[in-house]
């Protein structure tokens, strides 16, 4: 691990190299140099045709879309500040929050911000630890980081290595963040097929981690089909070095070599075959979880966190290509599932794709107990078309806590940030937005907001290419949320905002 301290000091200080449970941890302020990011960790760029580039420039000239890098917002949203990338040049990913701190994932590691003044966030520390996606969450003095790329070992100095090699490593990393300026790497747990994302189910003595991963292959020694479940890790709070996998529940049982779940194409053309889950959101106060699992959406009971039980499974083989993430409403009678059509790297917010693909699917939860069912009600997609050089699709968002209302803020990559109301699950509507113009007019360059979350009165967005943004939302429909204060927020572990 390389710790890159606040660059404003411009002083080079070398800390003492430490070894914790066999994991190398070095504290440095030098630029990243000791580890090799995976191929593709930087935002991808692909030149578009001359006609597409001309169409993009014409749309800007006609005022149909913002100019390159121009920021536009609805009247109720103010862009307060942008903090560009610094020592970690890779793709920015997810966010977590604790007290006055925001934790920003990056394919090269993570960055900790002091957000006590949201108009002027300050970098507290930057940790170099490559391994996409570096999905991030926090609980007490512990920080958790997902590694979903094949590495030479479990250290932060690892290099890329083919998944076909048995010695390769992927999984979960655990850091001690009791000192935010000097996070310490304390444990690592290898998991089958790595960890694309993870979700915490915390209790008093332990933290359970639901690890989502997918895409097995008979050529991968540590990622063999069928891969039709999730890894569950138990982390003792007082002894995180003892973290270990305690279960691998099968969520999609089946008799074939590929297990159960959606078979994908050619049976269901254009739909991802289910070989695991992409993301799971838990609602501990209701003992529920919702899983977005490639070709399937699921509802689970987590009364016993080591043994989650699937209650219902749904598919949408007409408009959903890849079930990506999930969000409960506060009353736990609705779930919003996202469809990441094109994998987040395609231009899908346009007239040709339409309003039902690459969108959110809103489901009501009906019934009681283990007999509850997910019932589809409607789709929601941002109402603004984007250029053909802008990757845009439904992505990560969170509730804005307003009693009696179902309102959330959501990232749409280069589609920006959308605030929308789904109180009537059959008639969702946008009530605010923020977006930048295209990164370029002649290439498809991956960028835009990866995650947009509401935390203690402000919206925080982690932009893949541009950095960390803070937005202020002022609207009578959402202003009551400013009175709700949290000590900690991992969006995939949804809190009871009003308890």
């Amino acid at each position: 691990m390389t710790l890159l301290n606040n660059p404003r000091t411009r002083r080079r200080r070398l800390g003492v190299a430490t070894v914790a449970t066999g994991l190398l941890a070095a504290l440095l302020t030098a630029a990243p140099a000791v580890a090799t990011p995976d191929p593709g960790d930087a935002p991808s760029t692909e030149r578009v045709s001359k006609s597409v580039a001309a169409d993009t420039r014409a749309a800007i000239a006609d005022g149909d879309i913002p100019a390159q890098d121009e920021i536009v917002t609805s009247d109720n949203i103010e862009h307060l500040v942008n903090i560009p990338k610094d020592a970690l040049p890779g793709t920015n990913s997810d966010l977590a929050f604790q007290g006055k701190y925001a934790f920003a994932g990056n394919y090269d590691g993570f960055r900790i911000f002091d957000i006590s003044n949201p108009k002027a966030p300050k970098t507290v520390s930057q940790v170099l630890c490559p391994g996409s996606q570096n999905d991030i969450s926090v609980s007490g003095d512990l920080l958790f980081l997902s590694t979903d790329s094949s590495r030479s070992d479990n250290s932060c100095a690892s290099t890329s290595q083919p998944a076909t090699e048995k010695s390769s490593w992927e999984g979960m990393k655990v850091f001690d963040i009791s000192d935010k300026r000097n996070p310490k790497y304390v444990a690592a747990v290898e998991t089958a097929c790595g960890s694309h994302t993870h979700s915490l189910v915390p209790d008093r003595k332990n933290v359970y981690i639901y690890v989502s991963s997918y895409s097995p292959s008979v050529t991968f020694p540590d990622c063999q089909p069928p891969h039709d479940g999730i890894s569950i890790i138990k982390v003792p709070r007082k002894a995180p070095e003892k973290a270990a996998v305690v279960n691998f529940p099968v969520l999609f049982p089946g008799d074939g070599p590929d297990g159960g779940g959606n078979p994908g194409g050619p049976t269901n053309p254009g739909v991802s075959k289910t070989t695991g889950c992409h993301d799971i959101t838990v609602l501990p106060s209701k003992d529920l979880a919702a899983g977005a699992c490639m070709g399937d959406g699921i509802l689970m009971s987590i009364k016993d966190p080591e043994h989650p039980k699937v209650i219902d499974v749904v598919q949408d083989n007409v408009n959903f290509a890849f079930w990506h993430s999930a969000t409960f409403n506060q009353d736990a009678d609705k779930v919003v599932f996202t469809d990441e059509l094109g994998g987040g790297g395609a231009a899908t917010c346009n007239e040709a794709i339409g309003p039902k693909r690459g969108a959110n699917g809103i489901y009501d939860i009906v019934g009681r107990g283990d007999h509850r069912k997910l019932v589809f009600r409607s789709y929601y997609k941002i109402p603004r078309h984007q250029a053909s050089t802008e990757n845009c699709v439904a992505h990560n968002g969170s509730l804005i806590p307003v009693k009696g209302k179902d309102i959330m803020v959501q990232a749409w990559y280069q589609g920006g940030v959308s605030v929308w109301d789904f109180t009537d699950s059959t008639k969702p509507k946008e009530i605010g937005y923020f977006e930048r113009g295209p990164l370029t007019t002649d290439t498809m360059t991956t960028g835009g907001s990866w995650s947009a979350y509401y935390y203690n009165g402000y919206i925080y967005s982690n932009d893949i290419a541009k950095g960390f943004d803070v937005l202020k939302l002022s609207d009578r429909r959402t202003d009551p949320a400013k009175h709700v204060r949290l000590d900690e927020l991992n969006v995939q572990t949804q809190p009871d905002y009003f308890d």
Side-chain angles (χ1 to χ4, degrees), residues 15-162:
V16 178
T18 63
V19 176
T21 62
L23 309 177
L24 179 65
L27 308 184
L28 303 172
T29 57
V34 299
T36 304
D38 284 329
D41 279 5
S44 62
T45 299
E46 181 178 347
R47 186 165 292 278
V48 299
S49 67
K50 291 182 179 180
S51 62
V52 168
D55 288 345
T56 300
R57 290 192 292 269
I60 292 172
D62 293 341
D64 295 332
I65 62 172
Q68 186 174 342
D69 287 338
E70 178 188 5
I71 291 176
V72 296
T73 70
S74 54
D75 291 341
N76 55 358
I77 289 182
E78 178 185 0
H79 182 226
L80 297 181
V81 67
N82 169 262
I83 308 297
K85 294 180 186 179
D86 186 58
L88 304 175
T91 295
N92 277 338
S93 58
D94 212 0
L95 294 168
F97 305 89
Q98 187 181 83
K100 67 177 185 178
Y101 299 102
F103 303 81
N106 178 286
Y107 276 36
D108 287 329
F110 63 92
R111 188 174 183 179
I112 302 178
F113 293 98
D114 181 335
I115 54 171
S116 52
N117 179 2
K119 294 182 179 179
K122 296 179 180 179
T123 298
V124 177
S125 58
Q126 299 182 73
V127 175
L128 176 67
C129 195
S132 61
Q133 301 189 128
N134 278 341
D135 191 47
I136 194 168
S137 59
V138 295
S139 183
D141 287 336
L142 300 178
L143 179 146
F144 306 93
L145 208 61
S146 286
T147 299
D148 191 37
S149 54
S150 185
R151 311 297 298 182
S152 56
D153 56 51
N154 61 14
S155 77
C156 288
S158 66
T159 57
S160 298
Q161 182 167 291

Side-chain angles (χ1 to χ4, degrees), residues 360-363 375-380 422 424-428:
N360 296 318
I362 305 167
Y363 287 74
V375 179
F376 174 77
R377 295 304 187 202
S378 66
Y379 297 104
Y380 170 76
F422 62 104
D424 182 343
S425 54
T426 66
K427 295 179 181 179

